[in-house]
Amino acid sequence: MNRITTALLAALEALLVVAIGIGIAMVPLTVLWAAHFGLSVEWFVFWRAAADIWLLGNGVDLTVQLGPDVAAALALTGADTPFLISVVPLGFAMLSVLMGVHTGRRAAETPHRWTGVGVAVGTYAILAALVTLSAVSETVAPNQLQGIVLPTLIYAAGVLVGAELGRRKTARAAEGLDLVSRGIRAAYQRIPHTTRTVIEGALRGGIAAAAGVLIVSAVAVAVLIAVNYATIIGLYEAVQAGVFGGATITLAQLALIPNLVIWAAAWFVGPGIALGVGTTVSPIGTVVGTLPGLPLFGALPQGTPTYGFLGLLAPVLIGFVFAVVTRQFLDRAGVPERTTLAHVLTGLGMGVVAGALLCLLAWWSAGAMGPGRLVEVGPNPLLVGALAAAEIGVAAALGMLAGRVRLPGRRSSKR
């Protein structure tokens, strides 16, 4: 495959990623335009709505200015003045990253990897800028700088990850390294072996511990939705959005599922989340007022959970278990025995890595969802990160010390 073909295919893939992302919102809105409004409203209104949803899903803040009639109908404080919407429906961002990984893998399969990567990201940036400019209206105005930069950065992250994964698959690690990668590898190899082992253990174990907390949170969200299914259906009926309106609301809620998983992780860590100024949903109790009009919020726990404090044990147990597993992995043949201090530092490092990841996710999932009290929705990222680092770090340090007892599988593999 020559360079021009690689560039054209990369540009086409970037175009498809943008089209699919906007199309997820555009298709139900177009059906709503045809079936409910009878084609009487200008179609471009629905295009701007779909573009705004896609931009919001990629981290772009939207400034909303409602008309007097709509603001009065909402009966929310501050609805008659411009307000910010910044809660990111992370489903759109996840889709961009995953499709970017596919683009990067395809580029790595060609002799012109960086051409494919550069053209794909550049094309995506141009398309994101065009979408941002076309989405501006008197009612909703996306942040134009964010609209050009943030969607491109999210997609570029996926493309770079995919290109690296594809490179490792198509070339041996030592031979396929570029000059920058070789320099980084050489600098890393100059670090003392024990320090490298601590870093490796902290990164592997910390990422695994954060993933473990998110997995437990995803299971908890699924259980809450199943248990409160009747309440959610009742809220759907109360909204009276019709078939197409209900389908649009459902798609919006699906995009918010990753947010709910991260919010559940904040609940397990301890701080919980806010669904408006002065509200809280945490293991020690739930105090909420008027919620955003999404039926999915009917799955939120109500009142004070009888055994809610037991949820705080989840990150502690996860940190301990993954530390034991991490030590079994590090205690492989040919690796010199480490000191107690090295084990403790590895465990604490796991807490720092896991806390940093959960802090970043909490920050990304929180923001403003409307005017007045809805300017504060989601977890406090710094509090989530600090408590997660403390809970997982202390438990992981104990797990690293307890991990000197060999698991059966590891014992047999060393013989």
Side-chain angles (χ1 to χ4, degrees):
M1 186 180 296
N2 59 38
R3 193 181 299 274
I4 295 178
T5 304
T6 300
L8 290 175
L9 289 177
L12 177 61
E13 288 205 29
L15 174 62
L16 289 176
V17 173
V18 175
I20 291 172
I22 297 178
I24 291 175
M26 190 70 253
V27 169
L29 288 175
T30 300
V31 173
L32 186 65
W33 169 63
H36 184 72
F37 293 96
L39 310 181
S40 60
V41 181
E42 183 185 0
W43 176 82
F44 202 65
V45 172
F46 295 91
W47 160 263
R48 285 197 294 262
D52 288 333
I53 294 171
W54 180 76
L55 290 170
L56 181 64
N58 282 275
V60 180
D61 296 341
L62 303 180
T63 301
V64 181
Q65 173 64 74
L66 299 177
D69 295 338
V70 177
L74 290 176
L76 289 175
T77 303
D80 56 342
T81 60
F83 59 89
L84 194 68
I85 297 180
S86 58
V87 171
V88 179
L90 292 176
F92 287 94
M94 289 180 61
L95 179 65
S96 297
V97 170
L98 292 176
M99 297 187 75
V101 170
H102 180 266
T103 301
R105 283 181 177 273
R106 289 286 299 272
E109 294 173 357
T110 70
H112 312 288
R113 176 165 62 115
W114 290 115
T115 297
V117 169
V119 171
V121 173
T123 302
Y124 199 91
I126 294 172
L127 294 173
L130 294 176
V131 171
T132 301
L133 293 175
S134 69
V136 178
S137 67
E138 294 181 357
T139 304
V140 182
N143 185 303
Q144 296 192 16
L145 179 60
Q146 291 181 354
I148 296 172
V149 174
L150 293 182
T152 305
L153 288 178
I154 292 172
Y155 179 68
V159 173
L160 291 175
V161 170
E164 177 62 17
L165 294 175
R167 181 196 63 80
R168 292 189 178 190
K169 183 178 179 180
T170 56
R172 287 186 294 179
E175 295 179 357
L177 293 175
D178 52 41
L179 292 177
V180 176
S181 301
R182 289 175 185 172
I184 295 174
R185 176 184 285 266
Y188 181 71
Q189 292 295 332
R190 288 194 292 268
I191 299 175
H193 190 279
T194 302
T195 305
R196 294 204 309 269
T197 305
V198 170
I199 295 174
E200 179 183 2
L203 290 175
R204 287 179 178 270
I207 294 173
V213 173
L214 293 175
I215 290 172
V216 171
S217 302
V219 173
V221 169
V223 171
L224 283 174
I225 292 175
V227 171
N228 296 282
Y229 182 74
T231 302
I232 295 173
I233 294 300
L235 292 174
Y236 263 110
E237 294 173 349
V239 173
Q240 297 182 348
V243 175
F244 299 111
T248 304
I249 293 174
T250 299
L251 285 175
Q253 293 180 138
L254 289 175
L256 282 171
I257 289 292
N259 298 64
L260 294 183
V261 172
I262 297 171
W263 294 356
W267 189 93
F268 281 111
V269 171
I273 64 170
L275 289 173
V277 177
T279 66
T280 181
V281 180
S282 70
I284 62 175
T286 299
V287 179
V288 296
T290 303
L291 295 176
L294 291 175
L296 193 58
F297 285 143
L300 292 173
Q302 302 296 323
T304 302
T306 305
Y307 300 103
F309 66 93
L310 293 178
L312 299 174
L313 295 177
V316 175
L317 293 176
I318 289 171
F320 183 88
V321 170
F322 277 104
V324 173
V325 174
T326 298
R327 173 156 179 175
Q328 304 301 317
F329 173 81
L330 295 177
D331 288 347
R332 54 187 181 270
V335 177
E337 185 65 29
R338 295 171 305 284
T339 64
T340 300
L341 178 61
H343 290 306
V344 172
L345 290 177
T346 301
L348 295 178
M350 286 178 56
V352 172
V353 172
L357 290 174
L358 292 176
C359 174
L360 179 62
L361 291 174
W363 167 77
W364 203 11
S365 70
M369 196 174 275
R373 52 190 299 276
L374 294 180
V375 298
E376 184 180 320
V377 175
N380 183 319
L382 294 179
L383 196 54
V384 170
L387 288 179
E391 295 166 3
I392 295 175
V394 173
L398 295 175
M400 289 296 295
L401 296 177
R404 62 169 57 93
V405 179
R406 296 288 188 270
L407 296 177
R410 298 296 300 173
R411 186 183 299 115
S412 60
S413 65
K414 284 193 172 188
R415 290 178 179 175

